[in-house]
C-alpha cells in the first residue's frame, strides 16, 4: 500500500478540527496524538446536535426510537470496522474504567489460577490485574518486556503461560515506546496451552494507527478510548466475546442478562463512532477500489500505517537537507531506530538537556509534544532504561512532511546546543 498522496492529505486535513492551530497558542504542529488524537469536524457537529436532545432511549415515541436506531447503527458500524461477527459492543466511562471492569469480572468469574500480563502494559491493565487477581485468589505474573525493542514477543507469553492461566492481558501498542505486538500470535500461544483463558486487550493506543481484526485475534475483550481515534472525550468503547458476556457482572435485578452498560448512556457518543467509521470508510475508498465496506476499512488501515511509516522514517532518517534524529549527536531513540513494530510514535532523550526542557523548547517554537516521566504511568518502561523521563513525539496519518521538517529543524538546534 502506497502512502497517502499530498492532494489526498489536504482533503484529510480539512476534515479535522484545529489541524494546525490551538485556540490558546495559535499556529502549532500537533505531535501529541498519543495523548488524544485530533477530532473530526463531523464529530464536533454530531456532539452538539445530540447534546440538545432531551429524549432517552427505551420510550415509545419517535425521538426515542431514533436514538435506539442510532445506537444500533453505531454498534453495527464498529462490528464491521473491527471484524467482530459475535459478542457485543458497549460504552462506559473511559477506556481505563472498561479495562478494570472486564478484568474484574474475568478474575472473579474464574476458578483460582494465574492472571498473566506483561511489564509493557499501561497501568490500567496492570493495576486492575493486581487488585482483582488478589480478590479472586489468583496469582499474578508480569512477563518482562524487551527493553531494547520496547515490545514483547509471542514467545515470551508461550514460556510463561500454564494450563492454570485463567486471565491474560495484552497491550496492542505501547503508548510510551510506540511499539505494537503480534496480537494474533500472542493469543495463539496462550490458547495452545490454556484454551479457555479469558484474553483481554488494551487497544487504546493502537486504534488510530491501523486495522483491527477481532476475528483474527481470537480474544475475549478489546477496549479503545474513542478520543484517541478521532472522536471525543467522555467515554470508552469495549467489545466482549459471548463467553465473557455470560460471566457474572453488575446488572439490575430482573434486567436483561447480557446487558453490561450501567445506566443510560449518551447517544451522541455512539453517534460519533459512526462518524469515525464513515471517515475511515471514505479514506479506504480514496486509497483503493475496494468493493465492500470491510475491505475499505482494511485499506484505510493499510494507508494509515504506510503514511505514518513515511513520517516516522523522515523523522528518524531525515528529509531534504535536514538530518534525522538518528543522525543528531546526543539523541537516543527508545526502542531503537530501525524497529518494524513502531506505530506512528518516537520517544527520545537528548543527552545533557532534561526532557522537560526539550518539550518546553519545542512548544515555544510551536511544536506540541509530551513529557513522559518515570512515574506510575511510564516507570515500567523508563526505569529499566535508567531514564527519569523522555520526550514523546506522536503522529497520526493527517500529519505532514512539512510538520516533520519543522520539528527536525528545532531538534537540530536543540541537539547542537546540547553538544556545544
Amino acid at each position: 500500500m502506497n502512502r497517502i498522496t499530498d492532494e489526498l492529505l489536504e482533503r484529510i486535513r480539512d476534515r479535522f478540527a484545529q489541524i494546525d492551530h490551538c485556540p490558546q497558542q495559535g499556529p502549532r504542529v500537533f505531535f501529541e496524538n498519543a495523548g488524544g488524537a485530533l477530532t473530526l469536524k463531523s464529530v464536533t457537529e454530531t456532539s452538539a446536535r445530540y447534546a440538545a436532545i432531551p429524549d432517552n432511549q427505551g420510550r415509545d415515541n419517535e425521538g426515542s426510537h431514533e436514538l435506539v436506531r442510532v445506537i444500533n447503527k453505531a454498534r453495527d458500524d464498529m462490528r464491521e470496522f473491527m471484524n467482530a461477527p459475535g459478542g457485543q459492543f458497549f460504552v462506559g466511562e473511559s477506556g481505563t474504567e472498561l479495562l478494570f471492569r472486564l478484568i474484574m469480572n474475568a478474575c472473579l468469574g474464574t476458578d483460582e489460577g494465574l492472571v498473566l500480563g506483561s511489564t509493557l502494559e499501561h497501568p490500567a491493565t496492570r493495576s486492575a490485574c493486581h487488585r482483582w487477581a488478589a480478590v479472586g485468589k489468583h496469582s499474578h505474573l508480569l512477563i518482562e518486556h524487551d527493553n531494547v525493542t520496547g515490545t514483547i514477543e509471542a514467545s515470551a507469553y508461550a514460556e510463561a503461560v500454564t494450563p492454570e492461566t485463567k486471565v491474560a492481558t495484552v497491550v496492542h501498542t505501547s503508548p510510551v515506546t510506540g511499539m505494537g505486538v503480534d496480537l494474533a500470535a500472542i493469543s495463539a500461544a496462550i490458547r495452545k496451552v490454556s484454551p479457555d483463558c479469558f484474553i483481554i486487550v488494551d487497544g487504546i493506543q493502537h486504534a488510530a494507527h491501523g486495522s483491527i481484526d477481532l476475528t483474527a485475534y481470537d480474544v475475549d475483550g478489546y477496549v479503545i478510548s474513542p478520543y484517541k481515534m478521532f472522536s471525543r472525550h467522555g467515554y470508552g468503547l469495549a467489545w466482549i466475546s459471548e463467553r465473557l458476556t455470560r460471566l457474572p457482572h453488575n446488572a439490575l435485578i430482573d434486567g436483561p442478562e447480557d446487558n453490561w452498560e450501567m445506566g443510560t448512556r449518551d447517544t451522541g457518543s455512539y453517534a460519533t463512532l459512526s462518524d469515525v467509521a464513515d471517515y475511515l470508510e471514505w479514506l479506504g475508498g480514496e486509497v483503493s477500489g475496494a468493493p465492500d465496506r470491510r475491505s475499505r476499512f482494511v485499506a484505510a488501515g493499510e494507508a494509515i500505517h504506510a503514511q505514518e511509516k513515511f513520517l516516522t522514517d523522515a523523522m528518524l532518517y531525515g528529509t531534504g537537507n535536514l538530518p534525522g534524529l538518528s543522525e543528531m549527536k546526543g539523541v537516543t531513540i527508545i526502542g531503537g531506530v530501525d524497529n518494524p513494530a513502531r506505530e506512528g510514535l518516537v520517544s527520545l532523550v537528548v543527552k545533557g538537556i532534561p526532557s522537560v526542557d526539550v518539550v518546553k523548547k519545542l512548544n515555544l517554537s510551536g511544536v506540541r509534544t509530551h513529557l513522559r516521566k518515570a512515574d506510575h504511568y511510564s516507570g515500567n518502561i523508563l526505569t529499566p532504561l535508567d531514564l527519569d523521563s523522555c520526550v514523546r513525539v506522536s503522529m497520526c496519518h493527517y500529519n505532514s512532511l512539512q510538520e516533520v521538517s519543522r520539528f527536525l529543524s528545532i531538534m537540530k538546534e536543540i541537539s547542537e546546543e546540547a553538544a556545544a
Side-chain angles (χ1 to χ4, degrees):
M1 173 66 68
N2 295 325
R3 74 176 183 89
I4 292 167
T5 65
D6 291 342
E7 184 274 332
L8 177 56
L9 182 61
E10 285 303 309
R11 289 190 285 137
I12 288 170
R13 288 170 66 85
D14 189 54
R15 288 173 175 253
F16 286 87
Q18 299 181 18
I19 186 71
D20 57 7
H21 72 281
C22 167
Q24 284 71 43
Q25 185 178 12
R28 60 97 178 90
V29 172
F30 193 75
F31 283 163
E32 225 283 86
N33 292 282
L38 295 178
T39 306
L40 285 163
K41 292 176 181 177
S42 59
V43 165
T44 65
E45 294 162 1
T46 295
S47 296
R49 185 165 67 253
Y50 280 88
I53 297 174
D55 295 287
N56 286 327
Q57 308 114 32
R59 274 63 167 173
D60 188 14
N61 63 67
E62 292 78 3
S64 181
H65 296 167
E66 174 62 10
L67 298 182
V68 173
R69 185 198 67 79
V70 167
I71 290 171
N72 289 335
K73 179 183 183 301
R75 287 171 171 158
D76 289 341
D77 288 341
M78 290 297 100
R79 189 173 300 283
E80 194 158 11
F81 166 60
M82 296 190 190
N83 196 22
Q88 66 163 308
F89 287 92
F90 62 95
V91 300
E93 174 188 339
S94 65
T96 295
E97 181 266 335
L98 288 169
L99 284 167
F100 262 81
R101 200 187 327 167
L102 269 58
I103 291 166
M104 174 187 71
N105 289 319
C107 288
L108 298 184
T110 51
D111 296 332
E112 295 179 24
L114 173 67
V115 175
L116 184 64
S118 83
T119 56
L120 186 68
E121 294 178 76
H122 187 277
T125 46
R126 289 184 289 116
S127 302
C129 288
H130 177 77
R131 169 164 169 72
W132 291 108
V135 175
K137 296 182 169 51
H138 301 283
S139 57
H140 180 209
L141 175 64
L142 289 175
I143 311 164
E144 296 288 333
H145 70 276
D146 188 325
N147 289 318
V148 175
T149 63
T151 186
I152 189 165
E153 301 292 335
S155 57
Y157 275 84
E159 291 174 5
V161 66
T162 74
E164 297 304 309
T165 304
K166 306 297 183 180
V167 181
T169 55
V170 187
V171 62
H172 203 164
T173 302
S174 166
V176 183
T177 70
M179 307 306 174
V181 306
D182 188 338
L183 182 53
I186 289 174
S187 174
I190 295 168
R191 297 233 181 269
K192 183 177 180 180
V193 178
S194 181
D196 294 329
C197 177
F198 285 98
I199 303 175
I200 298 168
V201 182
D202 171 0
I204 293 170
Q205 175 64 25
H206 173 78
H209 300 287
S211 298
I212 298 173
D213 189 343
L214 293 175
T215 297
Y217 303 152
D218 189 20
V219 298
D220 295 287
Y222 196 96
V223 173
I224 70 171
S225 293
Y227 77 94
K228 293 192 179 186
M229 195 180 74
F230 323 132
S231 185
R232 59 175 173 81
H233 286 269
Y235 71 113
L237 176 71
W239 171 85
I240 55 175
S241 66
E242 293 171 4
R243 58 194 296 265
L244 183 54
T245 294
R246 291 191 295 267
L247 285 183
H249 56 276
N250 291 337
L252 300 181
I253 296 172
D254 296 329
E257 291 184 0
D258 290 346
N259 181 43
W260 276 57
E261 284 189 330
M262 304 301 295
T264 302
R265 303 308 305 177
D266 171 25
T267 303
S269 63
Y270 275 108
T272 59
L273 292 172
S274 291
D275 289 328
V276 172
D278 289 345
Y279 167 72
L280 293 171
E281 181 184 11
W282 168 81
L283 178 58
E286 292 295 308
V287 298
S288 76
D292 60 86
R293 199 176 195 208
R294 173 62 191 165
S295 296
R296 289 191 285 274
F297 285 144
V298 172
E302 292 173 348
I304 287 170
H305 184 79
Q307 176 71 6
E308 291 177 356
K309 186 179 188 307
F310 168 73
L311 294 173
T312 53
D313 281 353
M315 187 170 286
L316 292 167
Y317 302 109
T319 180
N321 62 353
L322 289 168
L325 294 171
S326 65
E327 304 170 86
M328 295 182 188
K329 189 174 181 180
V331 175
T332 298
I333 308 299
I334 293 176
V337 176
D338 184 15
N339 192 327
R342 176 172 279 110
E343 292 187 353
L345 190 154
V346 176
S347 286
L348 62 96
V349 292
V350 180
K351 185 177 180 180
I353 301 184
S355 294
V356 63
D357 292 336
V358 176
V359 171
K360 286 180 180 178
K361 288 175 182 290
L362 286 164
N363 191 47
L364 287 172
S365 297
V367 177
R368 188 80 56 83
T369 60
H370 183 54
L371 175 74
R372 300 284 356 196
K373 297 184 289 185
D375 55 12
H376 62 291
Y377 281 113
S378 306
N380 58 311
I381 304 296
L382 298 177
T383 300
L385 299 173
D386 294 324
L387 297 173
D388 61 4
S389 61
C390 71
V391 181
R392 185 180 69 185
V393 190
S394 50
M395 292 165 280
C396 266
H397 66 284
Y398 43 65
N399 287 122
S400 69
L401 184 61
Q402 290 74 25
E403 290 176 324
V404 173
S405 297
R406 174 64 181 153
F407 166 79
L408 288 176
S409 67
I410 303 164
M411 283 301 303
K412 182 174 182 289
E413 295 175 3
I414 291 173
S415 66
E416 288 174 348
E417 175 188 337

